[in-house]
Amino acid sequence: MDAPLVQAARGGSQSAFARLVAAHERSLRGFLRKSGFGDADDIAQEAFLAAWSSLDRLRDDEGFRAWLFGIAWRKALDSSRSARRAARRDQAWREDQAQDAPRQADPADRMALEAALADLPPDQRASVTLCLGQGWSHGEAAETLNLPLGTVKSHVNRGRERLLAVLGDAS
């Protein structure tokens, strides 16, 4: 049933491939959702794109559906693994931040500092955060932010002055 459309799509017919998508997208998305993947629509889209670009590797034109579902399944597993890795990285980062956070800081002071930082221009805020908050050298911050070294130095000095002015008034 799919073989004529697959052959036409392999020959470059986008409309034939669109008909294959229309024929299989609902069941593919349903399969992914029922398999527990909340991002089923995105995974299905990726699977169709992968199928279109690798259609020449399909050995049995009648086996298009099984081949497509296999692509989607592998993409879903990859997405799931990637999400778990990202969650572990995020959790490790949060734990590091909690360990590095000053224990004695008053919550009101922290909120005032965050508000004062938010008022700084983005380049200045990034420079201050990296150099003063994270202990980076001016050179490291300049390289990371893709800014000249002198600009980072002046951002840090001006940012420090603005923060001290704001926080000095808050105390």
Side-chain angles (χ1 to χ4, degrees):
M1 176 163 145
D2 288 334
L5 291 174
V6 170
Q7 290 166 1
R10 190 179 285 126
S13 172
Q14 292 180 357
S15 64
F17 192 76
R19 288 176 53 199
L20 285 167
V21 169
H24 297 290
E25 73 177 323
R26 187 171 182 190
S27 61
L28 180 62
R29 291 171 198 262
F31 161 71
L32 292 167
R33 278 191 197 99
K34 288 176 185 170
S35 297
F37 297 101
D39 51 352
D41 293 338
D42 293 337
I43 295 168
Q45 184 73 17
E46 288 179 29
F48 283 118
L49 286 170
W52 172 252
S53 65
S54 61
L55 204 51
D56 59 327
R57 288 189 239 148
L58 176 60
R59 292 187 190 124
D60 175 19
D61 293 351
E62 282 298 332
F64 177 79
R65 184 178 64 166
W67 178 72
L68 174 66
F69 275 55
I71 291 172
W73 179 249
R74 288 185 296 281
K75 291 210 170 283
L77 293 177
D78 289 346
S79 174
S80 179
R81 280 190 293 269
S82 178
R84 284 194 305 272
R85 281 191 304 268
R88 284 193 302 267
R89 276 192 309 269
D90 290 349
Q91 182 61 32
W93 181 83
R94 282 191 295 275
E95 289 170 2
D96 286 347
Q97 293 301 306
Q99 288 175 356
D100 293 343
R103 305 270 187 255
Q104 69 279 10
D106 179 18
D109 290 342
R110 293 188 78 182
M111 288 175 47
L113 176 61
E114 289 176 15
L117 278 170
D119 286 340
L120 297 177
D123 286 352
Q124 199 173 68
R125 181 174 48 242
S127 298
V128 167
T129 301
L130 290 176
C131 295
L132 300 180
Q134 300 290 323
W136 288 33
S137 72
H138 291 119
E140 290 172 321
E143 184 178 335
T144 299
L145 300 173
N146 198 26
L147 294 172
L149 178 61
T151 301
V152 169
K153 287 180 179 181
S154 72
H155 279 340
V156 170
N157 287 332
R158 287 185 188 128
R160 179 186 298 124
E161 290 171 8
R162 286 179 68 180
L163 289 175
L164 287 173
V166 170
L167 296 175
D169 291 343
S171 298

